[in-house]
Amino acid sequence: REGHRSGHGIPLSNQVPSSTHRYVPGASGPRHSSNKLKILGIDPGSVATGYGAIESDGNNHLLLEYGVLKSPASLSFPEKLLHIHTRLLEIIEECRPDRMAVESLFYAANVKSALKLGHVRGVALVAGVSKGLPIDEYSPLEIKQAVVGYGRADKAQVQKMVMLLLGLEKPPEPHDAADALAVALCHAHRLRFERKIAGGETVRSKS
């Protein structure tokens, strides 16, 4: 699928065939010293790995980039892992995140699927660590709870809330990319909570 700048419909000249990109101006560039952070969310998958980058101060969120990595079917599984690793390194170089957030392994159809998914997660973690990024991991339950407010939300509900939180005109697709953006938003919500604690605010649970 051809990549475009978000909301502008301008084709990207550097499109990589195995991935889908969405950009907004200012997605790349030097890391900044403001109270905003660039967060790269990763939704690992043995068939498709979603990624999504946002800039957030914990309350306001700006979409930077999102897409899906798909390896050519002709590659062996080890070669697919190398492809994912290489592309993630390129994405990190492009959007220059301050942190990475990765969805943790929660469910797989069978042992073989779980092992493959674990390998992909490992590749993503190594890519982040090799670039000096702090990495946080969140379960699907934590992500849905933070983004939707309901830990058992379905993919359509997650996509809709991601759209609303990022001020998009339509839900991000495919769902792998939306899930990756949800991972990034989950970390942004944690950031807001931590800043409340650091600022001495009292966090009370709803009665």
Side-chain angles (χ1 to χ4, degrees):
R1 186 183 300 179
E2 187 178 62
H4 298 81
R5 289 184 183 275
S6 178
H8 296 277
I10 303 173
L12 292 174
S13 60
N14 62 342
Q15 168 65 17
V16 178
S18 61
S19 61
T20 302
H21 296 265
R22 297 290 184 272
Y23 291 88
V24 294
S28 60
R31 296 179 183 178
H32 44 98
S33 58
S34 69
N35 63 342
K36 294 183 179 180
L37 287 178
K38 289 183 180 180
I39 305 167
L40 176 63
I42 303 293
D43 176 41
S46 57
V47 176
T49 292
Y51 67 91
I54 65 171
E55 184 177 76
S56 176
D57 61 4
N59 293 300
N60 302 298
H61 319 294
L62 174 67
L63 171 65
L64 298 179
E65 175 180 345
Y66 71 89
V68 172
L69 303 180
K70 290 185 177 181
S71 302
S74 60
L75 297 182
S76 66
F77 185 63
E79 290 171 331
K80 289 180 180 179
L81 291 176
L82 176 60
H83 178 264
I84 293 170
H85 182 263
T86 301
R87 285 295 297 121
L88 285 176
L89 291 177
E90 292 172 353
I91 290 165
I92 291 171
E93 282 296 319
E94 290 167 5
C95 70
R96 302 293 298 273
D98 298 293
R99 302 188 72 92
M100 177 186 283
V102 182
E103 181 174 293
S104 61
L105 180 61
F106 179 73
Y107 171 79
N110 51 59
V111 174
K112 185 177 181 180
S113 296
L115 288 173
K116 285 189 173 182
L117 184 56
H119 287 313
V120 177
R121 286 190 68 257
V123 161
L125 295 174
V126 169
V129 170
S130 69
K131 291 296 184 177
L133 296 178
I135 299 176
D136 297 271
E137 299 179 66
Y138 299 96
S139 70
L141 186 68
E142 290 176 303
I143 295 165
K144 293 175 181 179
Q145 184 67 46
V147 175
V148 184
Y150 174 54
R152 303 297 178 184
D154 59 29
K155 290 188 179 296
Q157 290 173 311
V158 172
Q159 283 180 300
K160 183 175 181 179
M161 282 306 301
V162 168
M163 175 189 72
L164 294 174
L165 289 170
L166 293 176
L168 307 179
E169 294 181 355
K170 59 182 181 180
E173 294 181 346
H175 66 78
D176 306 278
D179 287 347
L181 287 170
V183 178
L185 287 166
C186 176
H187 183 70
H189 289 178
R190 175 182 165 184
L191 173 67
R192 179 178 61 187
F193 179 82
E194 290 177 344
R195 284 180 173 169
K196 283 183 177 181
I197 297 298
E201 296 183 31
T202 302
V203 179
R204 297 177 182 177
S205 59
K206 295 182 180 178
S207 56

